[in-house]
Amino acid sequence: MSQVDLKWFGPEDEGKTEEPTEHRLREARKKGQVAKSQELNGALVFLIGVLILFFLAPWIEQKLEEVMSFFFNHINDSKVDNGQYAYIFLRYFLMLFLPFGLVGAVVAVIANLVQNKGFIFSTKPIAMDFKKVAPKFGEYFRRTLFSFTGLFNIIKSIVKVIVIAIVAIIIIRSDMNKLLSALYVGTPMQALKQFATTAAKMLVICGIFLVLVGIADYFVQRREFRRKNKMSKQEVKQEMKELDGDPEVKSHLDSAQKEMLRQNIPRAVKEADVVITNPTHYAVAVQWKREVNEAPAVTAKGEDRTALNMKEIARENDVPIVENKPLARGLYTDVQIGAIIPDVYWRAIATVYGQINYMEKKNQ
């Protein structure tokens, strides 16, 4: 028995200490699993419905008077059959219901879109799963009574009942004189309007409170969603292997790629427009294929011994060598081989090409 109790109190995510990766969250989203509060959706629909009722009250009153007047005036009219009664009733019912139904549906859809961060279409949540059919009472009680979410839901329900009761008592007590006066002195319609006003105040305040509770519930659901999707260190490593490949294989590929680059350096330097140097530590070969690129690109780069070899190849092939320490270091650090030079370096590059043109004209 003690083993069962300890299991109830044990954490579900034992051993899962890492925050969920973006890939894990995307996979959960594909399955229709997102952080969402149904409580917030219901509260927003309730509050908007109450506000619509509040603003449309005169129009609703008018339509109710019309339909009641029709039925009372034609109750003994033999010319009006049951079909006409049904038609009139259905027409007014739809007229009064549609504003609430349409706006409620729109609010519910918008609330879901905001919480889901867009549309989600997945058949996973409605797929048949016999594991969910079999009752698991121990897991149910642990999740509902002995967890943070369960405790929050219990406290949330108690607080809602207490606050709504307090709001109702305060508003009724503050309007008590008006209610009694309308009931005993005023007409039935005045009494009805006063009761409706008092009820509307209670509903609006309770609706705002329920929305605040829904917002708190959303943050709790988001926290619970991320907790359920936490990963163990082994799962993170496995995911990295699946997405990026085995690190050992990747290391071999990087070595092979570097070797290919070293073999291509002589050809790249021979075809370069200029080699920009540090002068001794860095060398960067630059070429501008105007028919292909809008700006020059780095075709080779190296440091120390490789930089000396690049300069030697440039001299042997009459490729201009320009000394520019900050530009050489910046290009070596910031630009990959084969990449276009960023626009922050264009002014400096233009100066280098100006020097090349000047040297070519001088040698002619």
Side-chain angles (χ1 to χ4, degrees), residues 25-314:
L25 295 177
R26 282 196 300 269
E27 290 299 310
R29 183 180 178 84
K30 289 179 183 178
K31 299 175 183 178
Q33 301 172 5
V34 291
K36 183 173 64 175
S37 170
Q38 295 294 349
E39 181 119 14
L40 179 57
N41 293 349
L44 286 171
V45 171
F46 174 77
L47 178 60
I48 298 300
V50 169
L51 293 176
I52 292 174
L53 178 62
F54 182 79
F55 287 109
L56 295 183
W59 178 79
I60 294 172
E61 178 188 358
Q62 177 188 348
K63 295 304 175 183
L64 287 175
E65 287 178 357
E66 288 179 9
V67 70
M68 291 176 69
S69 176
F70 172 82
F71 281 108
F72 280 120
N73 291 334
H74 296 84
I75 192 169
N76 293 320
D77 190 350
S78 59
K79 295 180 181 180
V80 181
D81 58 20
N82 292 333
Q84 288 176 298
Y85 283 127
Y87 168 75
I88 294 296
F89 173 79
L90 184 61
R91 190 182 74 177
Y92 276 91
F93 174 79
L94 291 176
M95 190 185 302
L96 295 172
F97 171 77
L98 278 178
F100 299 95
L102 290 176
V103 174
V106 170
V107 171
V109 169
I110 292 175
N112 275 289
L113 287 176
V114 172
Q115 292 190 71
N116 297 344
K117 298 179 181 178
F119 283 100
I120 298 177
F121 179 79
S122 175
T123 58
K124 293 281 186 180
I126 60 175
M128 179 61 72
D129 187 354
F130 290 100
K131 294 180 180 179
K132 296 180 180 178
V133 176
K136 297 180 180 180
F137 295 108
E139 182 178 346
Y140 171 78
F141 283 114
R142 181 179 58 78
R143 190 171 62 249
T144 55
L145 298 177
F146 305 112
S147 67
F148 172 80
T149 305
L151 182 62
F152 174 79
N153 288 332
I154 293 172
I155 295 174
K156 178 179 66 177
S157 300
I158 295 172
V159 169
K160 284 196 295 185
V161 172
I162 293 173
V163 171
I164 291 173
I166 291 173
V167 169
I169 292 170
I170 292 173
I171 292 178
I172 291 173
R173 288 187 63 179
S174 65
D175 288 0
M176 183 61 71
N177 292 333
K178 294 179 182 179
L179 290 170
L180 293 176
S181 176
L183 187 62
Y184 291 110
V185 179
T187 63
M189 185 56 67
Q190 289 175 332
L192 181 61
K193 287 183 177 180
Q194 184 57 53
F195 275 100
T197 302
T198 302
K201 287 194 289 186
M202 284 192 293
L203 291 174
V204 170
I205 294 174
C206 290
I208 295 172
F209 167 70
L210 291 176
V211 169
L212 295 177
V213 172
I215 293 172
D217 183 66
Y218 168 73
F219 285 107
V220 171
Q221 295 299 329
R222 190 169 71 171
R223 172 189 177 278
E224 183 68 6
F225 173 74
R226 293 190 70 87
R227 185 192 65 78
K228 286 182 178 179
N229 284 281
K230 275 190 173 183
M231 306 169 68
S232 64
K233 293 182 178 180
Q234 183 59 36
E235 287 175 329
V236 174
K237 290 179 181 179
Q238 184 63 32
E239 183 180 284
M240 290 178 63
K241 286 183 179 180
E242 292 174 358
L243 295 178
D244 301 330
D246 193 305
E248 295 181 3
V249 175
K250 192 173 181 181
S251 176
H252 289 305
L253 291 175
D254 289 342
S255 299
Q257 188 177 20
K258 289 178 181 179
E259 182 60 29
M260 289 178 61
L261 290 174
R262 280 194 291 269
Q263 293 176 0
N264 289 332
I265 283 177
R267 180 171 60 85
V269 172
K270 290 177 184 178
E271 297 175 356
D273 297 329
V274 61
V275 174
I276 303 171
T277 65
N278 190 29
T280 55
H281 294 295
Y282 299 102
V284 179
V286 175
Q287 184 180 19
W288 189 0
K289 296 181 179 179
R290 291 169 174 79
E291 68 279 3
V292 177
N293 300 322
E294 62 177 358
V298 172
T299 56
K301 60 181 181 178
E303 60 179 330
D304 298 332
R305 184 65 182 174
T306 304
L308 293 175
N309 291 337
M310 289 176 63
K311 289 194 291 183
E312 185 64 28
I313 296 170

